[in-house]
Amino acid sequence: MAQVPQTFFDALAVRTWCGLALRALGRSREEIDAINVYPVADGDTGTNLYLTLESAVAAVEAVFDGHKAGSGGPRKDSGEASPGAGVPSLADAVHAMAHGALIGARGNSGTILAQLLRGMAQVLAAEGEASHTDGQGLRLALRRAADSARQAVAHPVEGTVLSVASAAAAAANGVAGDCGTVARAAYEGARTALAATPGQLAVLARAGVVDAGGRGLVAVLAALVETFTGETPAAASEAYARVEPVFEPDGCGEAAGTGGPAYEVIYLLEAEDTAVDRLRERLDRLGDSLVVVGGDGLWNVHVHVDDAGAAVEAGVEAGRPYRIRITHFGAGDVHTGAGRPSRERAQRAVVAVVPGEGLAGLYAEAGATTVLARPGEPPASGEIVQAVRRAHAHEVVLLPNDAELRHTAAAAAEQVRTEGVRVALIPTRSAVQGIAALAVHEPDRRFDEDVVQMTSAAGATRYAEVAVAEAQSWTTAGICQAGDVLGLIDGDVAVIGSDVTATAETVLDRMLRAGGELVTLVLGDEAPETVAEHLQARVRETYLAVDTVVYRGGRQGALLLIGVE
């Protein structure tokens, strides 16, 4: 079905553009993933761009759904929304687009795309209640997008999506006309800049590819052209998705074998501007590929580091980080600078759902790829699928760490099996069971043997948690009132108390009556400072030959998680 062109840049054009761009990235996702070699050759740039834009599309659709009560429709003479047509303003639409991209941004490329869209929104929303803007407004928006994206990157590098965005803005600035004319100029400028990226960045030349992020931006700009002209420009992939590789002698170009940080850390952050300025400085010292985008109290932070815990801790000091995603780049040097990067999968990986930032760091340092389960916001199967893809392994051990997530994890496992990945789902019901399983994980063992040992370790670990009742309820231990302290053992309420430490002690005593050699305590942010010391002392004084380990879980929902094995 032919696309009806939009004459002006209004809310309907925003909606059309986002939809077309998402379809374009969906078609080119695998191609873009395949040419991803910078800043890390982890083969996910196309996927990250797609997921980021998918979040923007969902936000725009939500705004339109909120205006459905209106009547009327688009005027046939201009294509712009008529007053009272049940269509949001241009400002509402671009704000939604930018916010959706910000909260859904994935990876280095997705984070930069989110800032590009935010930069455009800052200009387009300045029109106030105006229903649309023209070619001049689009030129200004593209310029602001390129500038703001460059400012968001700690150390901008030429030959990347930043160069492509700048070229698009410059080309758009050099023409006069309507939105279609400006969009086509921006697209052609971006295509030319993309073709030049191997000459700007040696790692691209060695691999024989153009920049993957820039390739994605060209697809997004092609969708912009189609929005205003109804015509689909020639696909960039037809011209130069791959170029002739350049092989340099040792000592030329980028240093070989320099490696890079082991983890990618991404989180949303609620913080003041001044705190974010300090955060940038601290994270810049910790690692590289630092991109911080957003504003007005909400930010998306992306960085590559060796100390994932320190990167999360820096966010905690700056404000309130959440939706934390920590990815271990896996065995082998996937960072640029080590000759032509390998696209081989790791043999085996562990993917785990974890309930708090501290545990996410702990699991990641043990080599697992994590999916953060936020309190009240369990992950969907699609998030687990993406984590398995990020792990990039032939064999994956999946730890849901929650009885209620078993079916979700099973659905994710079935999906990735169709992609040729061998997946074993260990039905862990708590993060402490996952810790026990991860402790005996040996990737050099045969897959079946490793799964059996991990399953056995998890099954031998009894689990408990201490939490606060939110409302009056019937439980297996009697009626609880809102504010009561609940002690749950193996998923059932066993103790109802009024004091956190006393309730935790009662729970631990009941668990240790059946024996045990190791007690694991995971403290939530709101747990009393003295509870861990008290429980450790209790174990030392009462139970001989039982060891205790303590971890900090961050915002994990429960005040305390307890494991006995």
Side-chain angles (χ1 to χ4, degrees), residues 261 263-267 269 278-288 290 301-319 321 324-326 357-365 552:
Y263 303 100
E264 178 184 61
V265 179
I266 307 173
Y267 49 79
L269 177 69
R278 293 191 297 271
L279 175 66
R280 290 179 196 269
E281 294 177 1
R282 181 171 177 185
L283 292 179
D284 194 28
R285 293 193 297 269
L286 285 174
D288 60 29
L290 173 61
V301 179
H302 169 280
V303 68
H304 295 170
V305 293
D306 281 319
D307 190 342
V312 174
E313 181 183 343
V316 172
E317 292 180 2
I324 299 169
R325 295 160 52 85
I326 300 174
E357 302 94 334
L359 281 175
L362 174 68
Y363 272 74
E365 288 173 4
R552 292 199 170 273

Side-chain angles (χ1 to χ4, degrees), residues 30-46 48 109 204 207 209-213 242 334 336 341-343:
E30 291 185 0
E31 172 207 325
I32 297 173
D33 282 347
I35 63 172
N36 171 202
V37 300
Y38 184 87
V40 176
D42 49 356
D44 62 359
T45 290
N48 287 337
S109 54
L204 300 179
V209 298
V210 295
D211 179 67
R242 289 188 176 274
V334 297
T336 58
S342 171
R343 294 292 303 125

Side-chain angles (χ1 to χ4, degrees), residues 37-41 201 203 206 254-260 333-339 341:
V37 300
Y38 184 87
V40 176
L201 201 54
V203 66
R206 287 198 298 270
E254 298 182 10
T258 56
D333 183 10
V334 297
H335 291 264
T336 58

